[in-house]
Amino acid sequence: MGFKKKQYAGFGVILAFMLVTAVVMLVSMNHMKKNMSEIVQDRYMKVKMATEIQLLFSQSDRELLAIINDEKASGTETAIQNITANRAKIESRLNQLDNILNHSQAKNILAKLQNEFASYTETEETIINDARHNKTVPSGVISDYQTKRSHLTAYITDFKNFQENLMSKAMKNASQLEKNLLQMIVVSSGLMIAVMLFIAYWIVSGTGKSLNNISKVMAHINYDDLTSLPRVDVKTEDEIGEIAAAFNRMAASLEQASQKEKNYIEQISERNWMQTTLAEMATMYQNITHINTLAERFIQKAVPVMAASMGAFYLKRGEKTKAEFVKIAAYAEDRGNPGRETFSYGEGLAGQCALEKESRVITDVPENYSLISTGLGEAKPRSILIAPVIYEEEVLAVLELASLEEFTPAELELIKQINHTLGMAINSVLSRMEVERLLKESQMMTEELQAQSEELQSQSEELQAQSEELQSQSEELRMINEQLEERTKEAEKRAHELEKTKQQLEEKADQLIQSSQYKSEFLANMSHELRTPLNSILLLSEMLADESEEGNLTEEQKEFARVIHSSGSDLLNLINDILDLSKVEAGKMEIVIEETNTRELPVYVGNQFAYLAEQKGLELKIDVDDNVPDLIYTDQRRFQQIVKNLLSNAVKCTENGSVTFRMRKVGAETAGKYVKTEGADFWLEVAVQDTGIGIPEKKQDLIFEAFQQGDGATGRKYGGTGLGLSICREFARLLGGTIRLDSTVGKGSTFILYIPSLPNGMAATEEVPAPESEAAPALLREEDQQPGEEESAGQAFRNKTVLICDDDNRNIYALKKALSKEGMKVLVSQNGFECLDMLDVHKEVDIVLMDIMMPGMDGYETMQRIRENDAFADLPIIALTAKAMKGDRQKCLDAGATDYISKPLKMDQLLSVMRVWLPQE
């Protein structure tokens, strides 16, 4: 065979061999490319969706745990919306996975995951419904939720691990195919070189060099870092050049896939870092009661987290145009150049950020900016961050950080999230500090009222002594008159002396009347002075008790509020007792004879005193005789008050044993031993018996006197004012009956009340002072006033405007807080002139709350002036007063008031009256 034929044959063999080799390599490369495409596009996408499902479920789980633990009551609705949105995304990812899965085991795992997610969703809905209705989540539901959460987490992890295993296997197959391809290339190259050496060295040498170049490039691949792969330098357009180009394409595809995976891992790491930091910051806010402590802890934590080197915390002080931001905490501050201590809205970049409510990052740092100092030197910061802290559209503080490096997007997003929770923490701490301040003021006011009460009691005792002295003088005058009758024969001789004595008697009588009038006026004025501060104390303590149900107060603060309200109520009861006794002594107590159901009295006794007796370990016995009629004609309110006072004394003074309440019908002969019985239909005997300390015989008459007690020493054991039995005796006398006492020291006491049934009124009974035509409503108990019809506060008060006219800032503050809470717009004026001016400007006023005693123009004249304007003829005006004077109600109505309420106010009573008179939509 000639050289030419050998050359043709050799080249033909070589070309055929190269063709076969190239085809096999292309097939292998295409298969490798297909495997890589499956890894990147199929397996990677499934793992990515599984990771997204896991992340969404973790977010929903945190929101649900926050709802269960009631950590953020104000953000419950937002958390529910986030849970619903995440649930929809999870269901979308599950449906996508169900459509693209091609492996039976993966489908089985996905089916279990979908079933468990559906069950978890039902439990989740149950918890959300309880949270929306402010119900406590049952422990059984929480246990079921925790079990399903664990199972669902396990299924998600199993599915993710399964897909990762498939991806790992595909990567191994690709690596093995690549190794086989390399082996085939080496073997083929060797055979080709051998054939080429056999035929012609110069043909084989060129081909071997190209193949050797490709082999070296493949050998230098770093499989631990696929983000940067070497490339084959393509110099020819033959099959070897195609192999090199295919390898280059494969390398580019692997680099893109590795880069995507690296970016995804970095994003997950940043999110985990942000969530962990936010959780640590939220934990740090707990148990902080002062704003300076909060600022110090926050700046010490936030500056290192943000990779900053210096920082300052500015808190807003003041309101509206007078507000300024004061630095209360700093980090790494240069004492030689501390910077601004205060700034206002719009002052400097920090003030401008506060005004615009926008954060700002400064990279072009001014030359005169504070340097960051260390022990070895100083450095100028490269980046400055100024971020306002906003809560409910109001800037509460400004945070300024300086760093030697530029702030990253992740750090900027983190400070945005931190400032949101910081705003809530600042508002909570400031609110708590305000509550503590109000509690201290309330305690001081209570002590002041106690001192005034003691002074009032002392003055009342002095007036009582004066009254007794006048009575003694009246008795002396009566004796003188008797002597004058016996000495009628000497009348002509002592006519001048008798006339002088008569004049003295008239003067003393006038003094007695004037003294009684002074006493009534004094008690009325003192009632006003005591009820006015009592009004604000009771309202504020009641509001604090209502807010404690939202979880804003500690248990100690709740107890403070309850003690303040209880002490104020006790003082109010004492004032009412003193006024009742005064009215009885003045003969101005109105008695209303009406049908009274005797069967309701034992029920009333049981409801009122069963629990008190049980608390002291006493037995409460109720014995009602069968002969007691169903109805008795008497004043039901006074009758019940007598029984209540007698039972209260019995329970108070009995340490062990029992308290017995007996009621029976008796004849006129039995009652006639102690009281006149003319005109009575029948008589009712009510006895209250106890096994207490008993009362000595020498004090049995004394205890019915005002301010007198059985153990009346300064170290007395049972307390009280000594008015209860005095009021009982006077009320019994007004009702035509009497009270008698049977007591033995150490064995107990029995108080027996005889009450007549008077169907024809008081005409036939023992002499009783004639009642006035009208009783002062300001002296009535609040429980006698009938509230208006109940309706929704949102319907009655929302978007309504109320004008408060009162000169006492404490009452204004309490009413403004309470009415604003009901959704009303509150306007304030402190005298009659301001009230008239406010009505001229604000035509939208729906109702007016008018105090009576005010400087300049009082409430009566103000109401008359309002009614003179036809535009306000139908405007509801509710008169409010603490002065307990007879006829105040009619006087207010005549002046133009629509209704009348006495102080101290009860918010439910005031709101009920306002509902009646407010114009309806």
Side-chain angles (χ1 to χ4, degrees):
M1 183 181 293
F3 177 75
K4 188 175 183 178
K5 290 183 179 180
K6 289 181 180 180
Q7 190 176 29
Y8 284 145
F11 277 110
V13 173
I14 291 173
L15 289 174
F17 183 81
M18 290 179 63
L19 180 62
V20 172
T21 302
V23 170
V24 173
M25 290 179 66
L26 286 174
V27 171
S28 299
M29 291 294 291
N30 289 332
H31 186 60
M32 183 183 297
K33 184 178 181 180
K34 182 179 179 181
N35 288 343
M36 293 307 298
S37 177
E38 180 184 0
I39 293 171
V40 174
Q41 297 180 3
D42 185 25
R43 303 301 180 192
Y44 173 75
M45 291 303 295
K46 293 175 183 177
V47 171
K48 180 180 178 182
M49 284 191 283
T51 303
E52 290 177 354
I53 291 173
Q54 190 175 35
L55 180 60
L56 291 171
F57 173 71
S58 298
Q59 293 176 354
S60 298
D61 186 53
R62 284 194 297 272
E63 297 288 356
L64 196 61
L65 286 174
I67 293 175
I68 293 174
N69 296 326
D70 196 19
E71 295 177 353
K72 299 182 284 184
S74 61
T76 299
E77 191 61 34
T78 302
I80 293 173
Q81 292 176 359
N82 293 337
I83 292 172
T84 304
N86 290 342
R87 185 191 304 164
K89 293 179 182 179
I90 292 173
E91 291 175 349
S92 174
R93 300 297 189 277
L94 291 176
N95 291 333
Q96 292 176 10
L97 287 173
D98 189 39
N99 293 331
I100 64 175
L101 287 180
N102 53 11
H103 197 284
S104 59
Q105 186 176 354
K107 289 185 177 181
N108 292 335
I109 296 175
L110 183 61
K112 294 180 181 179
L113 175 59
Q114 289 176 325
N115 293 335
E116 189 63 30
F117 182 71
S119 176
Y120 172 83
T121 301
E122 294 176 0
T123 305
E124 187 180 64
E125 281 297 326
T126 301
I127 296 174
I128 290 174
N129 290 334
D130 290 341
R132 281 176 171 166
H133 293 86
N134 295 324
K135 295 181 180 178
T136 301
V137 180
S139 58
V141 174
I142 295 177
S143 177
D144 184 42
Y145 151 73
Q146 293 174 344
T147 302
K148 293 179 178 179
R149 180 185 63 179
S150 301
H151 291 169
L152 187 57
T153 303
Y155 283 133
I156 294 174
T157 304
D158 291 344
F159 181 80
K160 181 180 177 183
N161 293 338
F162 179 76
Q163 293 299 327
E164 289 177 347
N165 291 335
L166 290 179
M167 186 168 65
S168 298
K169 290 180 181 178
M171 289 291 290
K172 291 180 180 178
N173 292 335
S175 299
Q176 185 63 38
L177 183 60
E178 184 180 5
K179 291 180 181 179
N180 293 338
L181 179 61
L182 290 174
Q183 293 175 0
M184 184 183 67
I185 292 173
V186 172
V187 172
S188 300
S189 299
L191 290 174
M192 191 178 344
I193 293 172
V195 173
M196 290 178 67
L197 289 173
F198 181 76
I199 299 174
Y201 176 75
W202 63 273
I203 297 174
V204 178
S205 62
T207 305
K209 185 181 292 184
S210 299
L211 292 174
N212 191 32
N213 185 31
I214 296 174
S215 299
K216 289 181 179 179
V217 171
M218 292 184 176
H220 284 84
I221 295 176
N222 183 7
Y223 294 100
D224 294 331
D225 183 12
L226 298 179
T227 59
S228 178
L229 297 177
R231 298 291 191 274
V232 176
D233 187 11
V234 181
K235 297 180 179 180
T236 62
E237 296 182 358
D238 56 7
E239 288 80 357
I240 295 177
E242 292 180 1
I243 292 173
F247 176 81
N248 290 340
R249 291 193 298 271
M250 180 190 71
S253 178
L254 284 173
E255 286 179 349
Q256 292 177 0
S258 298
Q259 188 63 39
K260 288 181 181 179
E261 182 179 2
K262 184 178 180 181
N263 293 338
Y264 179 73
I265 292 173
E266 289 178 354
Q267 291 177 0
I268 293 299
S269 299
E270 286 182 357
R271 290 180 184 176
N272 290 338
W273 171 70
M274 289 178 63
Q275 294 296 332
T276 302
T277 304
L278 288 173
E280 291 176 355
M281 298 298 289
T283 303
M284 183 192 69
Y285 297 150
Q286 297 177 0
N287 301 323
I288 296 179
T289 59
H290 199 278
I291 191 63
N292 289 344
T293 304
L294 175 63
E296 289 288 347
R297 292 188 183 178
F298 176 81
I299 201 70
Q300 295 296 328
K301 181 73 175 178
V303 172
V305 167
M306 291 294 294
S309 301
M310 187 165 58
F313 188 103
Y314 293 89
L315 179 70
K316 187 178 79 169
R317 297 279 173 80
E319 297 294 336
K320 298 181 179 179
T321 57
K322 297 183 180 180
E324 64 176 1
F325 293 85
V326 181
K327 181 165 65 176
I328 61 173
Y331 183 91
E333 183 180 39
D334 186 359
R335 299 187 182 277
N337 184 18
R340 283 180 177 269
E341 293 295 330
T342 62
F343 61 85
S344 303
Y345 279 108
E347 184 179 356
L349 286 177
Q352 189 64 29
C353 289
L355 182 63
E356 297 175 355
K357 300 180 182 178
E358 293 291 340
S359 300
R360 180 172 295 182
V361 179
I362 304 171
T363 55
D364 187 9
V365 181
E367 293 296 333
N368 61 346
Y369 194 84
S370 298
L371 297 178
I372 298 175
S373 302
T374 67
L376 300 177
E378 297 178 339
K380 178 181 177 181
R382 293 184 58 188
S383 182
I384 300 172
L385 171 62
I386 303 174
V389 181
I390 302 173
Y391 178 76
E392 292 184 353
E393 300 300 325
E394 180 183 359
V395 178
L396 300 180
V398 173
L399 179 66
E400 183 172 351
L401 302 177
S403 175
L404 295 173
E405 302 292 338
E406 292 188 4
F407 291 104
T408 64
E411 290 171 345
L412 295 177
E413 178 63 23
L414 175 63
I415 198 65
K416 181 179 179 181
Q417 297 293 331
I418 288 177
N419 280 355
H420 177 69
T421 58
L422 177 61
M424 293 187 291
I426 292 175
N427 182 71
S428 176
V429 172
L430 292 177
S431 299
R432 184 177 298 175
M433 293 173 64
E434 179 66 14
V435 168
E436 291 178 354
R437 184 185 67 80
L438 291 174
L439 283 174
K440 291 180 181 179
E441 290 183 359
S442 299
Q443 290 173 354
M444 293 177 62
M445 293 170 62
T446 302
E447 294 175 357
E448 180 181 350
L449 285 173
Q450 289 176 350
Q452 292 179 357
S453 176
E454 293 175 357
E455 182 179 356
L456 172 63
Q457 184 173 354
S458 175
Q459 293 176 353
S460 298
E461 291 175 354
E462 293 178 0
L463 290 175
Q464 183 68 25
Q466 292 177 2
S467 298
E468 291 176 356
E469 182 180 355
L470 289 175
Q471 291 176 357
S472 175
Q473 293 175 355
S474 298
E475 182 65 23
E476 291 178 1
L477 291 175
R478 186 183 62 80
M479 295 175 62
I480 292 174
N481 285 331
E482 291 177 355
Q483 292 176 1
L484 289 174
E485 290 177 357
E486 294 175 356
R487 299 176 182 178
T488 53
K489 294 180 182 181
E490 300 176 2
E492 294 178 355
K493 296 180 181 180
R494 300 183 179 180
H496 179 71
E497 183 180 356
L498 181 60
E499 184 66 24
K500 183 178 180 180
T501 302
K502 181 180 178 182
Q503 291 178 358
Q504 292 176 352
L505 286 174
E506 291 176 350
E507 290 176 358
K508 291 183 181 295
D510 291 338
Q511 292 175 1
L512 182 61
I513 294 173
Q514 188 175 17
S515 174
S516 177
Q517 182 179 0
Y518 287 163
K519 178 180 178 182
S520 298
E521 286 289 338
F522 170 78
L523 291 174
N525 290 331
M526 288 306 298
S527 171
H528 175 269
E529 295 300 322
L530 290 174
R531 287 170 182 259
T532 297
L534 264 179
N535 185 59
S536 58
I537 289 176
L538 293 177
L539 285 179
L540 288 173
S541 60
E542 185 178 2
M543 289 168 60
L544 285 174
D546 292 339
E547 290 182 359
S548 68
E549 298 176 1
E550 301 176 7
N552 295 332
L553 301 179
T554 64
E555 289 299 323
E556 185 179 15
Q557 291 169 343
K558 295 177 187 177
E559 185 62 24
F560 287 165
R562 287 193 289 267
V563 169
I564 292 171
H565 190 274
S566 175
S567 300
S569 299
D570 292 342
L571 185 56
L572 176 62
N573 291 334
L574 174 60
I575 294 171
N576 288 333
D577 286 344
I578 295 174
L579 294 176
D580 280 344
L581 185 61
S582 174
K583 287 193 294 182
V584 171
E585 291 177 353
K588 298 179 180 180
M589 176 65 71
E590 182 178 4
I591 300 299
V592 179
I593 302 299
E594 59 184 356
E595 289 185 355
T596 301
N597 191 341
T598 58
R599 301 304 175 187
E600 293 178 354
L601 187 59
V603 178
Y604 169 81
V605 170
N607 293 337
Q608 291 288 325
F609 296 95
Y611 178 77
L612 295 176
E614 182 180 358
Q615 290 296 312
K616 292 193 65 174
L618 303 176
E619 180 183 5
L620 178 62
K621 300 178 182 179
I622 299 177
D623 182 15
V624 180
D625 202 327
D626 294 335
N627 67 350
V628 175
D630 293 337
L631 296 177
I632 183 174
Y633 290 87
T634 187
D635 189 321
Q636 179 178 358
R637 179 185 167 201
R638 309 304 175 192
F639 184 23
Q640 287 185 352
Q641 188 170 352
I642 295 173
V643 174
K644 178 181 177 181
N645 287 354
L646 293 177
L647 284 168
S648 296
N649 282 344
V651 173
K652 178 178 68 175
C653 298
T654 303
E655 295 293 337
N656 52 61
S658 64
V659 174
T660 303
F661 170 82
R662 291 195 305 269
M663 184 168 60
R664 64 171 182 159
K665 177 183 176 182
V666 297
E669 62 277 10
T670 301
K673 299 177 182 179
Y674 313 104
V675 66
K676 296 181 179 180
T677 59
E678 293 83 1
D681 190 14
F682 62 88
W683 286 82
L684 200 64
E685 180 188 273
V686 177
V688 176
Q689 181 179 2
D690 62 70
T691 58
I693 57 175
I695 301 171
E697 184 176 357
K698 63 181 180 179
K699 292 187 177 182
Q700 290 183 6
D701 291 331
L702 181 66
I703 62 172
F704 286 99
E705 299 296 330
F707 305 106
Q708 299 295 329
Q709 295 179 305
D711 60 335
T714 58
R716 64 182 187 270
K717 180 178 181 181
Y718 297 103
T721 61
L723 294 176
L725 291 177
S726 178
I727 292 174
C728 288
R729 184 186 65 177
E730 297 299 328
F731 280 0
R733 181 179 62 81
L734 292 176
L735 296 179
T738 188
I739 295 178
R740 69 182 186 88
L741 170 62
D742 184 10
S743 180
T744 302
V745 176
K747 294 184 178 180
S749 305
T750 302
F751 289 86
I752 302 175
L753 170 67
Y754 292 97
I755 290 292
S757 176
L758 304 172
N760 299 321
M762 299 292 295
T765 61
E766 190 175 359
E767 180 181 355
V768 177
E772 296 290 336
S773 59
E774 179 188 54
L779 301 179
L780 299 178
R781 301 288 198 277
E782 286 80 4
E783 57 263 32
D784 292 333
Q785 301 176 1
Q786 298 297 326
E789 297 179 3
E790 293 293 330
E791 65 178 81
S792 172
Q795 298 174 354
F797 302 115
R798 198 173 305 279
N799 300 324
K800 295 294 194 300
T801 302
V802 59
L803 174 59
I804 301 174
C805 184
D806 198 322
D807 62 325
D808 192 289
N809 290 325
R810 297 167 295 188
N811 290 337
I812 292 174
Y813 175 80
L815 287 173
K816 186 174 182 180
K817 286 291 185 182
L819 296 178
S820 296
K821 190 175 180 181
E822 297 294 334
M824 300 191 74
K825 178 183 177 183
V826 181
L827 304 176
V828 175
S829 61
Q830 295 192 331
N831 55 57
F833 300 105
E834 291 184 8
C835 179
L836 296 175
D837 293 339
M838 293 286 285
L839 287 175
D840 290 336
V841 175
H842 298 277
K843 303 296 184 181
E844 72 276 12
V845 173
D846 297 301
I847 192 168
V848 177
L849 302 183
M850 180 69 65
D851 187 28
I852 299 302
M853 297 182 67
M854 294 184 296
M857 182 186 295
D858 62 11
Y860 297 121
E861 184 178 353
T862 304
M863 290 188 290
Q864 291 172 354
R865 296 276 293 274
I866 292 174
R867 294 307 185 197
E868 290 174 0
N869 191 336
D870 295 336
F872 304 123
D874 298 326
L875 177 65
I877 303 175
I878 299 178
L880 310 176
T881 183
K883 186 176 181 181
M885 290 298 291
K886 181 176 180 293
D888 275 352
R889 174 182 173 81
Q890 191 59 43
K891 190 174 181 181
C892 290
L893 296 177
D894 293 340
T898 309
D899 210 332
Y900 170 90
I901 299 178
S902 63
K903 296 180 182 178
L905 304 175
K906 286 188 175 180
M907 280 311 303
D908 54 349
Q909 176 192 1
L910 176 61
L911 294 176
S912 179
V913 173
M914 291 177 67
R915 289 191 192 100
V916 174
W917 296 110
L918 270 173
Q920 303 300 317
E921 296 291 347

